[in-house]
Amino acid sequence: MDFESLRQGNFSALGTAINDWSSVVKSLTTMEKNARDDFKAKADKADWSGANATVTREFVTKTAGEFTDALTQATTIRDILRDTKDELVTYRDELNRAIEDGWAKKLSVVGTADNGFKVYVNVHPEPANSTQLVETLRDTLQGILNKATTTDSTAARVLRAIAEQADYGFSGIKHKDRDSAAEALQKADAMAKLAKKTKDMSAAELTEFIRTVGKYKNDELFAAQFATELGSRETLQFWADMADTHAGAKGPELKQMQELQKNLSMTLATATLSDADSMQEWKKNIIQESNTAFRTHPSDPFKNSGALGYQVMSSLMGQGKYDAEFLNAYGKKLLKVDMAPAGSPGMGTNEVWKGSGQTIDLVFGKDDGRDPMTGFMKGLSHNPEAAINTFNDKSVLDHVLESSKYTDRGSAVGVALEAAVTGVGNGELPTDPRPHTVEQVEIMRNVMHAVAQPDEQGERLVESGLGKSFGNMASAYMSEISRVMAGDGADSIFLSDSDNPNELDKTDATRFLYEVSQDKDGRAGIILGQTIYTSSLIEAHIADPSLYDGSQAEAIRTISESAGLIQGVVGHANADGVIKGEISSEKEQNEAVKQRGDFLKAIVGAGIGAGAVTLAPGGAAAIAGAAGSGYFGGLAGMAIDGLTENQQADGAADRALYRSGRDLNDYQASANSQVQQAARDAIAKYNSDLPPDSTMNQIRDAVDDGWVKSDTVLEGVHGRPTS
């Protein structure tokens, strides 16, 4: 900022820009609301099929998101311009007041050819203290000019950085003013500089580093600047050195390093969302360094040979949502190595990484970071789009599943698969419907087929840390499972918002439910998912009899028989597990149901019917009209309470639902009671004229029929133990 520009500035052009951006913000506010509440809302509820169900719905969702990002970015730019103008006007006024004060002291100020200024005494003879007066005014003016220059230059840097974050569309960066954005960039520079002296960090510097990275971990400006200023190779070396320096950390030091790993992981994930040229280069270089050995003691030949770039980077993928394109490119190269050993899928994988020579513990937790697929799977679990892209390749899916039998990556693979088939990231609470796409249903079909394999192959998968995730996946796919178990012709009874609801295989589905039910957490997912779906269906059909062109009684009977069939498969799996001595204690089973129930109730309470569990679809306008909502969460929430609040009940007369699974008669009665209660609640809620007594009797008969059928179905598709 030169002297005369500030002294004479009226900043009218800047004011015009602010007015223009304010108009843009006003227009985008309306457009964003319309896109969200009208455009996207209608797409979520649309009963589409084929290409519309995938391509069009995805396009609408992304387009609506672009409006949100555009509004956020426009607001940020407007606020930064406004803040900058206000500061420059303040500095201009301060400058002119100082010049006027100088004139009163017989001092004049003029601009110079080099864009600076000169202060001189304008009277003769000069006052005795004139030299001091000139120096004081000069320093005052220079101080004001310096502050104005900082405002001008940092505003330019911030605006340029915001523009660079997205090659196309909008970045969605949010800052309330120029100062906060400029501070984020300055902090990024400082932390990158600090990270380059890893082993020389003082305790105070490390504490400040962890605190600052934690504060800015979701700030795209900070994250991208930090990553690029530090450099890709240096980022990997930093974490390898940090893990080595703090090897064996315990107590407060361990907690501190766990916090650092979480914050750094989330910061780098945020950085990858940037499309700035410098970040594109960073991501490319990270992948190029994947086979590089990062030694922590390069001058000592007797120390470890160094962790590979794969291992270092993957150990930083446990938290945060990494960019899908980056995960796809990184995973493609990683999987090529992981799948390299000859032989059956999954064989030899453990030796690829355990024999790499890496001795540093890269993860301050249960894992050690030696298997990079574990961290990569966790990265996929936070980005459903990347997870779908990965598991769309059946050869990759088969390999990853099989490799879980020979490695410790099972639970990480499970959460990645959950993200792929549900469209909900690990730990995320969905706020909108997530209908299953054709690709997702195909992945689920392939997973079920793998678990359905005979000769204990499916059982081994469930026991490899995948049982809980399989149960959650079954919960989310209860509409598709119910359809295939019921058979053709029941589509209008078993409502679904899936884009391909009839694609699962009945034999595979039956064997899948049986195997997963051997795991307490898997069983909890199935029980709760089936209960919620059944409650939702009964509520939907009682609320709106026109959903099915037959009688309400017929629809309720079909739903009840399906509940008996599916719960029967689970009950028999429980009983067979008791015979084999593999069933967990009552307390563990009850706790598994309660924990899963708490999560699902949060989703049901929010009115979200997709993601962790499928409820009645929002696509049916008749349902929306009958219930005032596209989803039925009221009775589903009550059904969850029925399962969880009574878990500690005891005694034959007041036995908790599914308390132990050891008595098939009690288990069958509990399933019956649950369906009957859902019907009672729906009849009362909608003042239905269905006769309560005969309806309860019909439900009992139907559940019992389904229960008996489950034993026959299982005998035909799965070997059973004998007592």
Side-chain angles (χ1 to χ4, degrees), residues 129-137:
N129 62 342
S130 60
T131 301
Q132 180 63 43
L133 291 173
V134 167
E135 291 178 353
T136 299
L137 180 55

Side-chain angles (χ1 to χ4, degrees), residues 241-519:
D241 288 341
M242 189 61 71
D244 180 66
T245 301
H246 296 273
K250 297 179 181 179
E253 182 187 9
L254 176 60
K255 290 183 179 179
Q256 185 183 47
M257 296 313 297
Q258 289 173 334
E259 183 71 9
L260 171 59
Q261 187 161 24
K262 180 185 76 171
N263 291 343
L264 183 60
S265 175
M266 295 183 72
T267 299
L268 295 179
T270 301
T272 63
L273 301 178
S274 168
D275 288 332
D277 291 343
S278 56
M279 269 310 301
Q280 297 287 34
E281 189 70 14
W282 186 92
K283 288 182 275 191
K284 183 179 73 173
N285 290 339
I286 284 287
I287 296 172
Q288 289 178 345
E289 297 285 0
S290 54
N291 277 317
T292 301
F294 287 85
R295 299 188 63 184
T296 55
H297 299 274
S299 61
D300 190 341
F302 297 102
K303 290 288 186 179
N304 64 76
S305 59
L308 295 177
Y310 285 124
Q311 295 166 317
V312 183
M313 188 65 237
S314 289
S315 70
L316 293 171
M317 287 184 169
Q319 301 288 335
K321 185 176 181 179
Y322 278 80
D323 173 62
E325 289 186 10
F326 172 69
L327 287 174
N328 292 341
Y330 178 84
K332 186 176 181 180
K333 189 172 181 181
L334 173 60
L335 281 161
K336 186 175 181 179
V337 178
D338 201 66
M339 298 171 69
S344 301
M347 295 292 290
T349 296
N350 212 40
E351 289 70 24
V352 171
W353 307 113
K354 299 298 184 181
S356 67
Q358 181 235 336
T359 58
I360 311 171
D361 187 346
L362 291 164
V363 179
F364 291 92
K366 296 179 181 179
D367 187 24
D368 60 14
R370 293 178 69 183
D371 181 359
M373 283 289 289
T374 299
F376 174 60
M377 288 292 123
K378 290 179 180 178
L380 292 181
S381 77
H382 296 291
N383 192 319
E385 179 186 351
I388 292 170
N389 292 337
T390 298
F391 295 122
N392 251 343
D393 186 333
K394 189 174 183 299
S395 65
V396 169
L397 175 62
D398 290 343
H399 164 79
V400 171
L401 283 172
E402 284 299 304
S403 71
S404 299
K405 299 176 183 177
Y406 312 105
T407 63
D408 298 321
R409 62 178 64 157
S411 61
V413 171
V415 290
L417 285 170
E418 284 188 62
V421 302
T422 66
V424 179
N426 185 28
E428 176 189 357
L429 190 64
T431 57
D432 57 352
R434 309 284 174 89
H436 301 148
T437 65
V438 173
E439 290 82 2
Q440 288 176 306
V441 175
E442 181 64 20
I443 294 171
M444 185 64 181
R445 176 186 173 92
N446 290 333
V447 169
M448 295 178 82
H449 183 71
V451 177
Q453 294 307 299
D455 301 325
E456 299 183 348
Q457 292 303 306
E459 182 180 346
R460 287 184 63 192
L461 274 179
V462 174
E463 294 172 349
S464 299
L466 287 155
K468 180 178 181 179
S469 290
F470 286 155
N472 294 342
M473 292 156 67
S475 176
Y477 277 73
M478 200 50 66
S479 68
E480 292 96 335
I481 290 173
S482 297
R483 283 197 179 198
V484 72
M485 296 293 281
D488 295 337
D491 293 3
S492 58
I493 293 177
F494 294 101
L495 306 170
S496 176
D497 56 2
S498 173
D499 293 336
N500 198 9
N502 302 312
E503 187 61 22
L504 302 183
D505 178 83
K506 183 173 184 178
T507 297
D508 285 351
T510 305
R511 293 179 64 93
F512 176 81
L513 292 173
Y514 181 89
E515 298 295 358
V516 176
S517 293
Q518 304 284 332
D519 179 270

Side-chain angles (χ1 to χ4, degrees), residues 1-11 14 84-85 87-89 91-92 95 114-117 141-156:
M1 175 68 69
D2 64 77
F3 176 77
E4 287 298 337
S5 293
L6 182 60
R7 183 181 187 180
Q8 305 297 335
N10 62 22
F11 308 112
L14 195 53
T84 301
K85 181 193 174 187
E87 289 188 15
L88 290 177
V89 168
Y91 295 140
R92 179 199 63 190
L95 187 78
D114 60 356
N115 296 323
F117 65 93
L141 296 176
Q142 189 60 55
I144 296 171
L145 190 59
N146 288 344
K147 289 188 290 184
T149 299
T150 298
T151 293
D152 186 46
S153 61
T154 54

Side-chain angles (χ1 to χ4, degrees), residues 187 191 194-195 197-198 200-216 222 238 242 246 252-253 255-257 259-261 263:
K187 289 290 187 181
M191 292 306 103
L194 194 56
K197 50 177 284 187
T198 309
D200 296 324
M201 267 194 199
S202 67
E205 287 174 328
L206 178 58
T207 298
E208 175 62 15
F209 183 88
I210 296 172
R211 187 196 70 79
T212 303
V213 174
K215 177 181 178 180
Y216 289 100
F222 172 90
F238 165 75
M242 189 61 71
H246 296 273
E253 182 187 9
K255 290 183 179 179
Q256 185 183 47
M257 296 313 297
E259 183 71 9
L260 171 59
Q261 187 161 24
N263 291 343

Side-chain angles (χ1 to χ4, degrees), residues 4 18 47 59 75 89 107 172 196 211 214 232 244 253 271 316 352 396 444 548 586 591 608 613 648 655 659 670 701:
E4 287 298 337
I18 293 169
D47 188 14
F59 169 78
T75 303
V89 168
L107 302 176
K196 292 178 181 178
R211 187 196 70 79
S232 51
D244 180 66
E253 182 187 9
L316 293 171
V352 171
V396 169
M444 185 64 181
Y548 176 61
E586 287 179 18
E591 185 60 27
I608 303 302
V613 67
Q648 303 307 318
R655 186 179 299 277
R659 188 173 67 88
S670 295
D701 284 344

